Amino acid sequence: MTKFHSHAVRGVQQPIRIASYVWLVAFLISCTSPTPAPQVFPTFILVTQAANASPTATPFQPSGEINTSVPTFTQVPPVTAVSTNTLTPVPTLTTTLTPIPPTQVAVAATTAVPPPVDPARTNYILSAELDFDAHTLDVDETIRYYNNTGVALSDIVLSVQPNRYGGAFSLFAVFQDNMTLTTYSLNDQRLTLNLSQPLQPGSATTLGIKFKINIPVKASEGLFGYDYNQIDLVDWYPFVVPYINNSWTLHDPLSFGEHLVYDVSDIELNLKTGSDVVVAASAPSEQNGEWTRYRLYGARTFTLSASDEFLMSESAVGPVKIRSYYFDGYQAAGEGILYAAVQAVSIFSVKFAPYPYETLAIVQTDIHDGMEYDGLVFLASDFYGQYGGGAKNNLVSIGVHEIAHQWWFGLVGNDQAMEPWLDEMMATYSERIFYEFNYPRYGDWWWQFRVDYFSPSGYVDTTIYDGGTFRAYTNAVYLRGAHFMEDLRVRMGDDNFFAFLKDYSTRYSRGRVTTADFIGTVRANTTADISDVIVNYFLGSY
Ligand SMILES: [Zn+2]
């Protein structure tokens, strides 16, 4: 996920685009340790369809940092609603995707229906009223928390990301089992509830939280917040963090890399907005009286983006509805990424596991690369502006990367701060699989454009805290990770390698993996000795 440092201002972008390009070049020259920056800038452009294509400068720098400075976007008065135009749906595209053998497409079409609410999982029911123009969100949250930690809990810790933004989060009241709870503390991102009696293993409690968010201005390198025509709500409600190895897991944020770790939960959101606001969300919507209800089961987090200017095109892979939300002037790009998404969901459903949710939303926004959430991914407006058709570009490669995170983050979770390679390496290598099966002649292009151009070095098992610069971090985790996967595949052979991918995504479906789980599942799928491959890429011994 991520962004670099320009601002893709829709409509008025020429000067800004040039400025960002200069910055991009400066970035490439200035911050590549430990390996020196590539000396020859864009040789790969020669093999690219789009004349101006160049790799995103900061592939996958995630959100998470807070920048309270004045944003750089140009305020443009809201254009009166072109908004709710739903363009003529794009026909279902799977039948035209000849590169995938027909039997595989048939399997892809049996994509999963989400599991029912699981009483052993944390259940969130949220009622939220969004005032789009005033940038406020009033929320009543009910959490049914089931203690499956195996130990008695004297406190419960929740993540409250909006509280990292000065003045954005107002906590009105906390309840436990319908009684007001006053023994809590809220410090930065951490809300600690001190329970009057320990919560015994195997028992449940119901928590209530009333709060309001004064949605902040979206920082140029962040997602959470509003700009002139869009509100992005990510990690916006308090959630119980995982309890791992006898402690609540809530890592410190960093300027790059994701720091949050999630359990799988069942989420219901009842939402009210103004009638001219279009909402892109992690789940399908239905009317519930005067509310719009969304239900997302077996997921990490519920995300939405609202705009009074969204245009939308949709397609499907079997029962999975895929919707692309974009802005006026970007229809070709919005439909281009929709087509790629259909291809990606098709091939990943075959090669990994059925797509984990009922819907997928792809949302254009002002960030600098992309960012994944369950059932919803954000992609940079710059990529839409650069798009010239085809698949050799940032919009498709980064878009496919974020879509792959639906499996490697959503379905199979991990500690994104301490073992980020488990989701980032897998999402990056999934791009290679996407091109391999849909555009087999683009293999060399992909390795050069997305990986080797950056001369990757470093250890794959780097944490977000010991990666040094952002460039060094992504070079080690994402890009050397891609080479690790390729070497592993050669050592195992294709049959065992793809059997491993299925075994891994099935065995740890809606769970959370560790490095030991990954390596153990590899070893369960091959008799080959992989120890030298691991030594070559990993600092730790496994
Ligand atoms: Zn990623």
Side-chain angles (χ1 to χ4, degrees):
M1 25 333 184
T2 68
K3 52 220 116 194
F4 50 108
H5 182 99
S6 79
H7 222 92
V9 179
R10 299 181 271 274
V12 285
Q13 45 224 134
Q14 210 44 36
I16 295 162
R17 178 87 51 68
I18 291 165
S20 74
Y21 216 81
V22 170
W23 187 94
L24 179 155
V25 173
F27 183 96
L28 288 170
I29 293 169
S30 65
C31 27
T32 29
S33 70
T35 303
Q39 298 306 306
V40 183
F41 180 41
T43 49
F44 49 82
I45 280 181
L46 298 173
V47 298
T48 308
Q49 287 177 326
N52 62 345
S54 58
T56 177
T58 61
F60 323 114
Q61 175 187 344
S63 67
E65 67 271 30
I66 304 301
N67 182 340
T68 51
S69 62
V70 177
T72 55
F73 66 78
T74 307
Q75 289 280 359
V76 176
V79 177
T80 31
V82 198
S83 62
T84 49
N85 290 352
T86 296
L87 297 178
T88 309
V90 175
T92 302
L93 298 167
T94 42
T95 52
T96 65
L97 302 181
T98 48
I100 303 173
T103 53
Q104 296 181 335
V105 172
V107 176
T110 63
T111 300
V113 173
V117 169
D118 182 342
R121 292 201 291 240
T122 305
N123 180 218
Y124 297 87
I125 298 177
L126 298 139
S127 299
E129 294 192 55
L130 174 66
D131 188 326
F132 186 82
D133 296 321
H135 312 125
T136 60
L137 188 72
D138 285 283
V139 186
D140 270 350
E141 177 178 16
T142 302
I143 305 171
R144 182 184 178 280
Y145 177 74
Y146 176 83
N147 180 3
N148 59 13
T149 66
V151 299
L153 297 170
S154 58
D155 60 13
I156 294 176
V157 173
L158 297 95
S159 150
V160 187
Q161 296 306 303
N163 202 43
R164 295 170 54 211
Y165 299 74
F169 185 79
S170 300
L171 180 57
F172 297 136
V174 179
F175 306 92
Q176 184 186 10
D177 298 326
N178 296 318
M179 304 281 287
T180 300
L181 182 77
T182 55
T183 52
Y184 66 81
S185 60
L186 176 60
N187 293 307
D188 192 52
Q189 61 170 343
R190 177 180 290 251
L191 173 61
T192 304
L193 310 182
N194 295 298
L195 309 180
S196 55
Q197 303 179 27
L199 183 65
Q200 297 303 320
S203 59
T205 190
T206 300
L207 308 170
I209 302 175
K210 289 174 95 68
F211 65 95
K212 177 172 185 165
I213 298 174
N214 286 302
I215 299 166
V217 174
K218 196 164 94 54
S220 63
E221 67 288 333
L223 261 175
F224 179 68
Y226 74 88
D227 65 16
Y228 66 94
N229 67 350
Q230 187 174 17
I231 294 175
D232 294 331
L233 292 172
V234 304
D235 294 314
W236 54 275
Y237 57 90
F239 68 90
V240 180
V241 303
Y243 191 83
I244 305 171
N245 296 330
N246 293 317
S247 69
W248 297 105
T249 303
L250 182 53
H251 300 301
D252 292 336
L254 196 69
S255 60
F256 58 81
E258 280 107 43
H259 70 288
L260 295 174
V261 189
Y262 310 84
D263 281 324
V264 156
S265 60
D266 297 324
I267 307 147
E268 174 176 326
L269 168 64
N270 290 281
L271 182 68
K272 276 186 197 169
T273 63
S275 59
D276 60 343
V277 175
V278 176
V279 175
S282 289
S285 65
E286 59 186 334
Q287 281 310 117
N288 180 21
E290 56 186 355
W291 300 81
T292 301
R293 177 164 60 196
Y294 303 85
R295 287 186 279 202
L296 181 68
Y297 296 157
R300 316 266 163 196
T301 185
F302 191 103
T303 303
L304 52 141
S305 179
S307 176
D308 55 1
E309 297 185 18
F310 270 146
L311 302 176
M312 190 271 283
S313 298
E314 67 178 356
S315 186
V317 176
V320 179
K321 282 201 166 51
I322 304 178
R323 297 196 169 101
S324 176
Y325 295 86
Y326 50 89
F327 295 97
D328 192 21
Y330 297 94
Q331 182 173 354
E335 297 190 345
I337 188 58
L338 177 64
Y339 185 86
V342 167
Q343 292 175 307
V345 169
S346 297
I347 191 64
F348 296 158
S349 294
V350 169
K351 295 297 180 187
F352 310 154
Y355 179 77
Y357 315 109
E358 290 180 88
T359 58
L360 171 63
I362 300 156
V363 181
Q364 178 180 0
T365 198
D366 281 342
I367 53 171
H368 293 303
D369 278 336
M371 184 65 198
E372 78 282 6
Y373 297 93
D374 303 80
L376 187 150
V377 301
F378 290 102
L379 290 170
S381 263
D382 270 353
F383 297 161
Y384 290 74
Q386 296 160 1
Y387 181 77
K392 288 180 176 176
N393 50 61
N394 285 314
L395 184 67
V396 171
S397 58
I398 306 288
V400 167
H401 176 104
E402 308 307 342
I403 291 166
H405 275 302
Q406 302 304 307
W407 285 265
W408 319 124
F409 158 80
L411 185 67
V412 179
N414 62 296
D415 185 326
Q416 300 185 100
M418 303 309 290
E419 295 176 307
W421 70 277
L422 287 166
D423 58 297
E424 294 304 350
M425 177 196 79
M426 292 294 274
T428 304
Y429 195 78
S430 298
E431 298 174 40
R432 186 246 195 279
I433 293 174
F434 167 86
Y435 283 102
E436 175 180 352
F437 285 92
N438 290 293
Y439 303 95
R441 291 181 296 110
Y442 292 2
D444 290 346
W445 168 83
W446 181 83
W447 280 107
Q448 176 60 21
F449 184 78
R450 292 283 291 140
V451 182
D452 294 333
Y453 168 73
F454 297 100
S455 301
S457 65
Y459 289 110
V460 173
D461 54 340
T462 296
T463 74
I464 65 168
Y465 305 108
D466 61 17
T469 63
F470 164 68
R471 184 72 260 162
Y473 161 71
T474 50
N475 279 357
V477 171
Y478 295 60
L479 305 187
R480 278 209 91 221
H483 277 293
F484 165 69
M485 285 292 277
E486 189 72 8
D487 286 3
L488 196 59
R489 176 174 173 176
V490 169
R491 181 66 56 89
M492 298 171 76
D494 268 17
D495 287 353
N496 288 339
F497 179 78
F498 283 103
F500 153 71
L501 291 175
K502 279 193 173 179
D503 184 15
Y504 178 69
S505 53
T506 305
R507 194 182 293 210
Y508 297 106
S509 171
R510 302 189 201 270
R512 202 173 39 243
V513 289
T514 63
T515 296
D517 295 329
F518 181 97
I519 302 291
T521 311
V522 169
R523 290 204 160 110
N525 284 277
T526 183
T527 55
D529 180 5
I530 59 165
S531 53
D532 61 312
V533 181
I534 292 172
V535 168
N536 188 24
Y537 287 95
F538 287 73
L539 184 59
S541 306
Y542 305 102

